Amino acid sequence: MSAPVPERWITDSQRWDRLPYYTRANAGEVLNDPCSPLGWTLVFEQGLLKGWLRGFVDFGVYAEGELPSDPPPVAGLFGGYFYLNLSHMRLMGMRMGMTVEQFDAALLGSHPDAPPYRPHPDDVDEACSAKTAQTIGEVLGRTEFPEIDEDSRRVRELRRARPDLAGLSDAELVSYARSFLGELDNAFARHDYSSLASTVGQAMLAQLCASVDRPDMLLDLISGLGDVESASPSAGLWDLSRRVRSSTELTALFDRGPAAVAAALDGDGEVAGFRAAFTAFLDEYGMRGPNEWDIRARSWDADPVQALAHVDSLRRSPDEGSPQIRAERLAARRREVADELRGLLAGNEEALGTLEVALRSAKDTIPLREQTKANSAVVINEVRLAVRELGRRGVAAGRLGEPEDVTMLQAGELDDYVADPAAFTDVIRERLAGYRALFELEPPFIIAEELPPLPQWKRRSRPAEATATEGSLLTGVGGSAGTYTGRARVVRDLSEAAALEPGEVMVAPLTDAAWTPLFLVAGAVVVDMGALNSHAVVVSREVGLPCVLSVTGATSMITDGMLLTVDGTAGTVSVDAVPAEVS
């Protein structure tokens, strides 16, 4: 019997009347699962959220002191689930020159629960709008971002210089984890800058495409940009999969399963060569993994079997699925469409000049956003590994079941835990039961009013409200251009990823960096939620998959085996046929 759901989770946020609306749009790919108490109170409240607010002030969106700082209401936790503050994001869009309707269309798509915008006297701030416009002008004039390149160099050097965590005392482990709070603050302030900067060139391109009645051109113009950190791990995993595919010895080993591979990596011959390549891959990308923004989740450093499972899936894909081949094709298509747009704008010198600036800005800043996200992942992983070592000692002492259980602590309890770990055994056990119960909840997509107690929330286990039938047309937002027809495979979480066959249409609630290798297996992608800068879209555009996002309820209405036509330009999913067993 599962534990009862608590009335309210211990780290849940208070809504702020000034900015009261929240959404899971783009939030689920940051924290898909409920966030652990230590992950929230240490990493987010003491690190990331501070930088989050500071970055918006630096960009010009807010005046110094306009928003509370402890904690900043730019995001929140409800039922343990992470939410972005929709009211804040609408205000951000307005101060950057967008209408609320334009912003909602980009973030929420056509979601039916979007609350109405209610103007506030403080929404209009001419000084903030002027500073934001100045920053946008600076973005458009830049071709290099050395401060962010220096961040990447520095945090990776910190990763390489990591001490032997097993040799540190408990107090030293806590001190090591806390030593990264300043880096977390900096990483997200930079991420604010790159995220806002990445919208500028894209918005300019959208306006130019609309001016010649060719809005369909936009997605091709921002695809195949190259050097996108979120897509980069897939190239490394692909190379590893080619080693396996070309080796009888490695193929036989992988036929025994990823766990067996991990146990046999100390072998010689071709196994030794694979081990060296895999170690190099983890040195570069080991900080990635599912739900990587929460230190409770296991990165590939902490659990290499996860990465080996991706290699196992990719080895079945044919060579023509190579990321390099895809990238060359997409880059060529991007240049072709840019030339076509230049032709349509011929004679309008002002528009042609704007086009060149917008093309360059989009090519520079969209990958920049993924670079700052990766920098955040590097720092979070260093905190994670220190905390896991503390938890490993709790397991060895018989106080914890898994190393991750130590994340049931809150940041303010760490010193007391170090002084007397046994005093927290029952506390951790009770919190863990409540935390696990949160996974049964279905977090609402929009929060527009006070939420009922958690036991009254909808449950994930309830029957599907409706199933699509032959001829159904599901609508969302086109995120990556192209049309593809294939059989559906519903992948609700990574535990179901092994069932995805090459060429199937992957239907998912959302994706994060750990899902990236699946994009080399799938033929198209459909997601329940997301926006034009969400992970599923960015990666789909880099590997050339049609993608439709913000298809509300897709994972409930679509079932395995349905024949779907995915139009990533129009933003539609057609159900062409339904297998007899699900009709």
Side-chain angles (χ1 to χ4, degrees), residues 340-479:
E340 185 179 353
L341 183 53
R342 290 184 183 101
L344 293 172
L345 294 172
N348 186 338
E349 295 305 316
E350 181 180 354
L352 286 169
T354 299
L355 174 61
E356 298 310 317
V357 171
L359 286 170
R360 179 188 50 74
S361 181
K363 190 175 189 309
D364 289 343
T365 59
I366 292 174
L368 192 74
R369 180 179 184 271
E370 302 308 305
Q371 182 181 354
T372 56
K373 187 188 297 185
N375 290 347
S376 298
V378 171
V379 181
I380 292 168
N381 192 51
E382 292 307 303
V383 179
R384 170 186 292 114
L385 295 179
V387 168
R388 278 186 61 80
E389 174 59 23
L390 194 64
R392 185 195 64 76
R393 296 173 189 183
V395 173
R399 292 187 298 269
L400 304 178
E402 296 180 319
E404 294 82 12
D405 293 350
V406 75
T407 62
M408 291 300 104
L409 296 171
Q410 298 191 69
E413 298 169 336
L414 281 172
D415 292 331
D416 290 339
Y417 176 83
V418 168
D420 186 7
F424 286 86
T425 301
D426 290 340
V427 171
I428 290 173
R429 184 182 299 115
E430 291 169 7
R431 287 180 185 171
L432 190 59
Y435 173 76
R436 287 172 173 158
L438 300 177
F439 284 76
E440 301 173 11
L441 304 178
E442 183 176 302
F445 183 72
I446 298 282
I447 295 177
E449 56 188 21
E450 289 300 327
L451 288 167
L454 298 185
Q456 298 178 26
W457 284 27
K458 292 180 179 180
R459 294 298 191 270
R460 295 182 185 274
S461 57
R462 76 184 195 282
E465 296 178 1
T467 301
T469 58
E470 185 172 326
S472 294
L473 181 68
L474 311 181
T475 60
V477 175

Side-chain angles (χ1 to χ4, degrees), residues 467-474 562-565 573-578:
T467 301
T469 58
E470 185 172 326
S472 294
L473 181 68
L474 311 181
M562 287 183 175
L563 186 66
L564 307 177
T565 295
V573 181
S574 304
V575 181
D576 300 333
V578 178

Side-chain angles (χ1 to χ4, degrees), residues 28 56 125 160 183 230-231 259 262 265 291 430 438 466 483 569:
F56 281 118
D125 189 306
R160 288 189 292 270
E183 289 288 358
S230 294
L265 281 183
N291 213 31
E430 291 169 7
L438 300 177
T483 302
T569 304

Side-chain angles (χ1 to χ4, degrees), residues 1 112 121 146 158 288 292 302 309 341 355 390 428 481 540 568 570:
M1 181 181 297
L158 290 171
R288 316 246 52 159
E292 63 190 20
L341 183 53
L355 174 61
L390 194 64
I428 290 173
S540 291

